Amino acid sequence: MNIHEYQAKELFRSYGIAVPAGRMADTEAMAGDVAEEIGGKSWVVKAQIHAGGRGKGGGVKLAESVEEVRHHADQIIGSHLITAQTGAQGKLVQRVLVEAAHEIKKEFYLGLIIDRTRQRITIIASASGGMDIEDIANSHPDKVIREAVDPAIGLPEFQCRKIAARIGLTGELMPQAVKLMRALYRCFRDKGALMTEINPLAIVDDNKLMALDAKISFDSNAVHRYPEITSYRDFDEEDPKEVEATGHGLNYIALDGNVGCIVNGAGLAMATMDAISLHGGSPANFLDVGGGASPEKIANAFRIVLKDPNVKTILLNIFAGINRCDWVATGVVQAMQDQKIKEPVIIRLSGTNVELGQKIIDNSGLPFIVAKDLDEAARKSVEAVRRVTA
Ligand code: ADP
Ligand code: MG
């Protein structure tokens, strides 16, 4: 789960990490009020979307007057910001962060990730901060420092001093760097984060170390333990089909193929996607309807899958154990009639009450394409796509 920069900065502030004075605004007028409240002579207006590269995309603007703050906020709010991370369609900006602009002396990079191979939280730091850390990691890997943290010890001062020295944060900057790294580590560990990134971490004004950008992503499977983090969730930033599916107890993940998949069980859903690929097709989604797939649940699954305009055919693959094929069949027939589905539907039923289910399908008079096993079902779905798109 990702959160916005203004939320990450709120969290950083609560851990004693230095960030610019600032607040979120969702209207032009509010942006002006925030600037007045902060005071000073210059501000930055920053688009709040779950994607980086905003600076280069025109989503971070400097303002020298409150009037200019309002103007930038007016331009940014409601616009579709396109950055290297948003895709060509961009992302709708609904809010901005208005914060004090600081004079930057030098920019650094500081991040924490979980290195799964080493099973350690790992610090990544570089004296070459700013916008493109990925490029630096590729072209000058020696300029990117990695340091793993021993979970039994935590992040001791000497280790922070070592990292600080290697990226050139010496003298009066060192104690600030040590304090900041330890606070960032505590925040990361205490809130179940998977990744956090300060890019840039900057020396500003007269030698003050400050996080000018802030990014954190959390483990979605652990986030329920931290209600204060859950409240940061922004549904507008997520795929609406995935949000709706969660509400119906369906596990749905949108992909970019054209064979819609409705399957019970995560393992079978994965195998179904593999079988489609094996036959030269590509799945439009992962969808696990779970154990007790009532007719309503099947109908919802069809509705969500068909919201994706790329879907050319639907493959329903059910292996009923706890489930019952007759329930599923009833749900499919109902969905076909209620939703007036035109796309070819391939059905493979197996397990509990399969004969009953098959009878409902056969007697429906609807043009289902029936398959006896997974392989045949996958092959027939790919053939159906070829027919429809021919
Ligand atoms: P992104 O990573 O999405 O491009 P950043 O928050 O890193 O967005 O902002 C882009 C650049 O804008 C930063 O590298 C920094 O140079 C500048 N910047 C951001 N916030 C401030 C600030 N409060 N004061 C001065 N410059 C800033
Ligand atoms: Mg940045």
Side-chain angles (χ1 to χ4, degrees):
M1 187 191 106
N2 295 321
I3 64 173
H4 289 292
E5 176 196 6
Y6 75 90
Q7 298 165 327
K9 281 182 169 166
E10 255 173 47
L11 194 60
F12 279 6
R13 205 174 276 128
S14 74
Y15 276 82
I17 297 170
V19 294
R23 214 149 52 78
M24 183 274 282
D26 55 11
T27 62
E28 171 196 347
M30 189 177 169
D33 294 347
V34 173
E36 264 162 14
E37 182 188 305
I38 298 167
K41 290 200 181 74
S42 54
W43 301 266
V44 278
V45 182
K46 310 178 77 176
Q48 298 298 291
I49 52 169
H50 287 182
R54 296 164 303 163
K56 283 191 171 171
V60 177
K61 300 264 193 218
L62 181 71
E64 308 276 0
S65 68
V66 173
E67 197 40 55
E68 211 182 333
V69 167
R70 286 201 196 95
H71 171 75
H72 289 322
D74 181 42
Q75 298 279 303
I76 296 174
I77 297 170
S79 72
H80 279 267
L81 183 61
I82 301 170
T83 80
Q85 296 181 11
T86 58
Q89 75 287 359
K91 272 195 162 175
L92 175 67
V93 186
Q94 296 185 315
R95 273 158 284 188
V96 291
L97 167 64
V98 179
E99 65 179 17
H102 289 271
E103 194 195 325
I104 302 173
K105 298 257 167 62
K106 184 167 169 43
E107 298 190 330
F108 298 82
Y109 176 94
L110 181 66
L112 258 63
I113 52 154
I114 294 174
D115 184 332
R116 292 179 190 273
T117 318
R118 293 165 90 175
Q119 302 182 337
R120 295 262 196 284
I121 294 176
T122 298
I123 301 179
I124 297 175
S126 178
S128 311
M131 298 201 197
D132 297 314
I133 188 70
E134 290 84 0
D135 293 346
I136 294 156
N138 283 329
S139 58
H140 300 285
D142 52 304
K143 289 192 175 164
V144 179
I145 289 153
R146 288 172 158 260
E147 182 82 17
V149 182
D150 184 335
I153 299 171
L155 181 60
E157 269 194 51
F158 79 86
Q159 209 171 7
C160 299
R161 280 201 297 271
K162 185 170 129 194
I163 299 162
R166 286 180 66 190
I167 58 172
L169 289 170
T170 52
E172 64 174 316
L173 291 162
M174 187 169 282
Q176 294 184 55
V178 170
K179 179 173 169 258
L180 188 142
M181 281 182 219
R182 293 191 14 125
L184 190 64
Y185 176 77
R186 267 202 317 280
C187 172
F188 188 96
R189 187 200 54 195
D190 293 354
K191 303 291 182 189
L194 290 178
M195 191 278 298
T196 179
E197 202 176 62
I198 303 179
N199 189 23
L201 171 69
I203 305 175
V204 298
D205 308 332
D206 45 357
N207 266 356
K208 212 170 161 339
L209 200 58
M210 202 175 250
L212 293 191
D213 194 3
K215 187 173 184 175
I216 315 183
S217 64
F218 298 92
D219 183 345
S220 306
N221 295 312
V223 84
H224 64 273
R225 288 192 226 156
Y226 315 104
E228 69 285 11
I229 305 295
T230 316
S231 69
Y232 282 148
R233 186 164 171 195
D234 182 354
F235 289 99
D236 290 337
E237 291 283 337
E238 298 175 25
D239 185 320
K241 300 194 290 308
E242 292 179 11
V243 175
E244 191 187 343
T246 310
H248 293 305
L250 302 164
N251 290 310
Y252 172 91
I253 295 163
L255 301 166
D256 50 15
N258 51 22
V259 181
C261 302
I262 300 177
V263 187
N264 74 314
L268 189 59
M270 303 270 277
T272 305
M273 288 160 56
D274 282 347
I276 292 168
S277 302
L278 207 63
H279 283 279
S282 67
N285 64 276
F286 166 97
L287 197 161
D288 168 17
V289 292
S294 61
E296 292 76 24
K297 221 168 170 184
I298 295 289
N300 284 327
F302 270 93
R303 248 181 343 91
I304 289 163
V305 167
L306 282 167
K307 276 190 181 170
D308 178 349
N310 293 328
V311 168
K312 299 280 179 282
T313 178
I314 295 180
L315 166 50
L316 179 89
N317 184 17
I318 301 291
F319 185 89
I322 304 166
N323 227 321
R324 288 173 37 179
C325 288
D326 52 325
W327 286 347
V328 174
T330 308
V332 181
V333 171
Q334 214 169 297
M336 285 290 275
Q337 288 164 343
D338 295 351
Q339 299 174 42
K340 304 186 174 40
I341 295 168
K342 298 271 182 299
E343 289 77 2
V345 175
I346 293 88
I347 299 186
R348 181 259 179 155
L349 295 175
S350 177
T352 311
N353 289 2
V354 63
E355 293 82 5
L356 261 177
Q358 208 56 63
K359 202 174 274 173
I360 295 169
I361 297 292
D362 294 343
N363 293 342
S364 69
L366 294 164
F368 292 114
I369 301 169
V370 176
K372 65 175 185 316
D373 58 28
L374 171 55
D375 188 63
E376 188 183 322
R379 180 171 53 77
K380 287 185 166 172
S381 347
V382 177
E383 284 167 5
V385 171
R386 293 213 180 101
R387 267 200 312 280
V388 174
T389 53

